[in-house]
Amino acid sequence: MATGLAVGLPSDPETLRKFRLWFKIYGVVLILLGAAAILLPGIATLATSILVGWVLIAGGVFGLISVFQAGSGSPGFWWNLLTAILCVLAGGMLLWNPIAGVLTLTVILAAYLLATGVTKLIMAFHYKNVIPQAWLWVLFSAVVDIILGFMIVAGLPGTAIWVIGLLVGINLLFTGVALLVSAFYCWSANSGTPSPSAPAKA
């Protein structure tokens, strides 16, 4: 059975080829959603906060059910119980006041970008000796992450209104484009249209 990658991209080309029409539709929908989120980042940011709230509540509820089904004698019972309760409470707080939740999520996003940027920076200088062809790209990625993180922090609380929605929109847009192009490529490969890089048969 084919496994799926993040955001619905199939890892098995045969699955993409078999259901290419549905993946084309899916790609178009993602592109439209991404474009809408980019044009209306404030609404997309608020929607993301609400979605995260529901996800946390759902995860917490399922966690509570699993904990009590396992019984108090199971390993890590109290820790798992506390984690599930915190998930439910955090999700409830996001739904109760999604605007405040947006600010919290934005701070987490900035911290994540700064942390990954510093990590990539260390990796880049390690790659300089190990993989000299790649270290500049890693360094560039690190600098971009750090700059974005500082820009978000410097613009708070104003950046909280739009930054998450904009990033989600960009992610959806490019994922939709990648999915659509891949589905079209599978169609032309399946229909016998030769690839530009493929050698012509005698």
Side-chain angles (χ1 to χ4, degrees), residues 103-127:
L103 183 59
T104 302
L105 291 176
T106 305
V107 171
I108 293 173
L109 173 63
Y112 170 78
L113 287 172
L114 290 172
T116 54
V118 171
T119 303
K120 288 179 184 177
L121 196 63
I122 297 171
M123 289 173 56
F125 287 103
H126 175 67
Y127 281 7

Side-chain angles (χ1 to χ4, degrees), residues 62-126:
F62 282 114
L64 287 172
I65 294 172
S66 301
V67 166
F68 285 113
Q69 282 185 344
S72 58
S74 61
F77 171 80
W78 294 107
W79 175 254
N80 291 329
L81 178 63
L82 178 62
T83 303
I85 292 174
L86 287 176
C87 281
V88 173
L89 292 176
M93 290 174 64
L94 280 176
L95 295 179
W96 179 262
N97 192 351
I99 302 299
V102 164
L103 183 59
T104 302
L105 291 176
T106 305
V107 171
I108 293 173
L109 173 63
Y112 170 78
L113 287 172
L114 290 172
T116 54
V118 171
T119 303
K120 288 179 184 177
L121 196 63
I122 297 171
M123 289 173 56
F125 287 103
H126 175 67

Side-chain angles (χ1 to χ4, degrees), residues 15-104:
T15 301
L16 184 60
R17 186 178 296 110
K18 184 177 180 181
F19 301 101
R20 58 184 177 271
L21 175 61
W22 290 106
F23 280 116
K24 288 178 188 176
I25 295 172
Y26 183 33
V28 171
V29 170
L30 288 181
I31 291 172
L32 294 176
L33 288 174
I38 292 172
L39 293 174
L40 301 169
I43 295 176
T45 296
L46 189 61
T48 302
S49 179
I50 294 172
L51 177 62
V52 170
W54 281 115
V55 169
L56 286 172
I57 288 179
V61 169
F62 282 114
L64 287 172
I65 294 172
S66 301
V67 166
F68 285 113
Q69 282 185 344
S72 58
S74 61
F77 171 80
W78 294 107
W79 175 254
N80 291 329
L81 178 63
L82 178 62
T83 303
I85 292 174
L86 287 176
C87 281
V88 173
L89 292 176
M93 290 174 64
L94 280 176
L95 295 179
W96 179 262
N97 192 351
I99 302 299
V102 164
L103 183 59
T104 302

Side-chain angles (χ1 to χ4, degrees), residues 100-191:
V102 164
L103 183 59
T104 302
L105 291 176
T106 305
V107 171
I108 293 173
L109 173 63
Y112 170 78
L113 287 172
L114 290 172
T116 54
V118 171
T119 303
K120 288 179 184 177
L121 196 63
I122 297 171
M123 289 173 56
F125 287 103
H126 175 67
Y127 281 7
K128 187 175 181 179
N129 297 324
V130 181
I131 315 175
Q133 300 88 348
W135 85 278
L136 282 175
W137 291 103
V138 180
L139 179 64
F140 176 74
S141 177
V143 172
V144 169
D145 282 352
I146 292 172
I147 291 175
L148 286 174
F150 275 118
M151 286 176 62
I152 293 172
V153 171
L156 287 174
T159 49
I161 300 172
W162 56 267
V163 68
I164 292 179
L166 180 63
L167 293 178
V168 168
I170 292 172
N171 177 266
L172 289 174
L173 179 65
F174 279 96
T175 301
V177 170
L179 193 57
L180 194 60
V181 170
S182 299
F184 272 114
Y185 174 78
C186 281
W187 174 81
S188 54
N190 192 53
S191 63

